[in-house]
Amino acid sequence: MGLRFFEWLAGKGGRTATAEVSCQELLAAAEDFQARQLSFWTCVNMVANAVGRCEVKTFRGREEIQEQEYYLWNVEPNVNQNSSAFWHKLIAKLFLDNEALVISSKRRDGMDAVMVADSWQQSTFWPMRMNEYINVTVGDTAYEKTFRENEVLHLKLHHNAMRPVVDGLCQSYMRLVAAAMSRYQWERGQHWKVHVNQIASGTQDFEQNFAKIIEQQIKPFFGSGAAVLPEFDGYDYQQVNKSGDGKVGDSRDVRNLIEDIFDFTARGFLIPAVLVNGTVQGTADANSRFLTQCIDPICDQLQEEITRKRYGFDGWKQGNFVRVDSSAILHFDMFTNAANVEKLVGSGAFSVNDVLRAANQATINEPWADEHFLTLNIARIQEAAQQMNAQKGDSGNE
């Protein structure tokens, strides 16, 4: 996985090649790199923030529990990271390398710990036997152990990596950005032409004298806030038109091209573009698409990989599994959703504590808060008719 820089620099045959690169070319490459990095990491951080808000729910015998496994994934995966930092690193590795490797070990207190590997090599690709991973490193620690498939969580983002495609498209698009920036600089710059008659141009030392005029008079004139340009006989100064088509360039032309880079980078991440460029219109629908197309597939792979590796078939058959809940990603306003909360509880679908957990509020430590309630108007028609008849009979007896 890791790039061996000096081997790559020397080439396969051990021979090196040199090429002259100007400072201007290096600066242009740096500007191109920064634009790509900004769009890429904006999208990565958006996904990582969303996954970090997910809750990994643990089940035993199909009943939800909160014990060591819950604490591991939601609070402290290892002694050096909290769960938010862990998920950010995992998502970053997924989008950087199109795959990520999570290894586990025992802490001194006996609890499990999980860590995201920084580099590794997959030595085998067997279809029916467990794959093996060697040269695994986490931070400054290199593991000599060979990890087998059942000892790691191996996540893969896409069958074909999208980042090289997006980088190539960005590199091509940056040519348009460079052209727009050049035009903007030209439109905002000072461009003049001088007409010199034949008499003045025919004098001795014309070129030296004209160069002195440029350095000592014309350049200070353009560089000063207030200055006077002397005009001699035989010299006629005229300002060149801004552009031949009569249109004046605008900095928004460059900004629009940069936003285009953000848009197709977001498309490669399956993120709606309106969430990246800050547009308010259509945000609700965009959030739904973002969760469905981008976040939920990652959550599905996480819960499948954790369940099959840490519980296995026997544990899963007994009702032991994890579920990555993405319902807490969107902000929940209790006052705005008061009517919906009443319907959720009154329909018997959720208990009071279920709603409080979804709202990221403290639960009520009472038995009734975990019970399910059903309002009288939600019943089968036969039961509703019986209740109405019973109420009429009670009122008649009175």
Side-chain angles (χ1 to χ4, degrees), residues 129-296:
R129 296 173 56 185
M130 292 187 184
N131 293 326
E132 295 180 350
Y133 304 87
I134 61 175
N135 298 330
V136 178
T137 62
V138 179
D140 296 331
T141 302
Y143 291 85
E144 297 180 358
K145 174 184 176 180
T146 297
F147 292 87
R148 303 189 70 192
E149 186 67 38
N150 64 343
E151 298 175 316
V152 301
L153 304 179
H154 187 203
L155 305 169
K156 196 161 187 177
L157 187 61
H158 300 295
H159 182 68
N160 292 321
M162 286 296 299
R163 191 189 181 195
V165 180
V166 174
D167 284 347
L169 188 58
C170 285
Q171 188 173 4
S172 300
Y173 214 81
M174 284 303 297
R175 299 173 185 172
L176 297 177
V177 177
M181 293 177 67
S182 298
R183 178 177 179 179
Y184 176 78
Q185 292 173 352
W186 169 267
E187 299 293 348
R188 292 297 181 268
Q190 292 283 348
H191 302 279
W192 290 66
K193 66 179 180 179
V194 57
H195 175 74
V196 184
N197 61 27
Q198 293 182 352
I199 298 176
S201 61
T203 60
Q204 294 182 352
D205 300 330
F206 168 76
E207 293 183 358
Q208 292 87 345
N209 294 331
F210 186 72
K212 290 181 180 180
I213 295 175
I214 295 293
E215 290 294 332
Q216 299 176 4
Q217 298 177 1
I218 297 180
K219 283 187 177 182
F221 172 75
F222 289 137
S224 176
V228 176
L229 177 65
E231 186 173 2
F232 302 101
D233 292 336
Y235 293 83
D236 183 18
Y237 298 97
Q238 296 179 1
Q239 187 173 10
V240 179
N241 292 332
K242 293 294 184 182
S243 59
D245 55 6
K247 298 180 180 179
V248 179
D250 191 351
S251 62
R252 291 188 176 273
D253 297 336
V254 180
R255 180 176 179 179
N256 291 335
L257 290 173
I258 296 294
E259 288 183 353
D260 287 344
I261 294 178
F262 277 82
D263 289 347
F264 60 68
T265 302
R267 184 176 299 179
F269 279 69
L270 301 179
I271 300 176
V274 294
L275 299 180
V276 178
N277 57 34
T279 304
V280 179
Q281 292 79 6
T283 303
D285 294 336
N287 282 326
S288 178
R289 290 179 54 195
F290 173 56
L291 295 178
T292 302
Q293 299 180 4
C294 181
I295 302 302
D296 285 345

Side-chain angles (χ1 to χ4, degrees), residues 6 31 39 68 77 110-111 152 173 206 223 229-230 249 324 332:
F6 292 102
E31 292 175 357
S39 59
Q68 288 189 5
M111 294 182 61
V152 301
Y173 214 81
F206 168 76
L229 177 65
V324 182
F332 184 88

Side-chain angles (χ1 to χ4, degrees), residues 111-124:
M111 294 182 61
D112 288 342
V114 290
M115 299 159 289
V116 180
D118 292 304
S119 63
W120 72 90
Q121 290 180 351
Q122 187 173 348
S123 60
T124 59

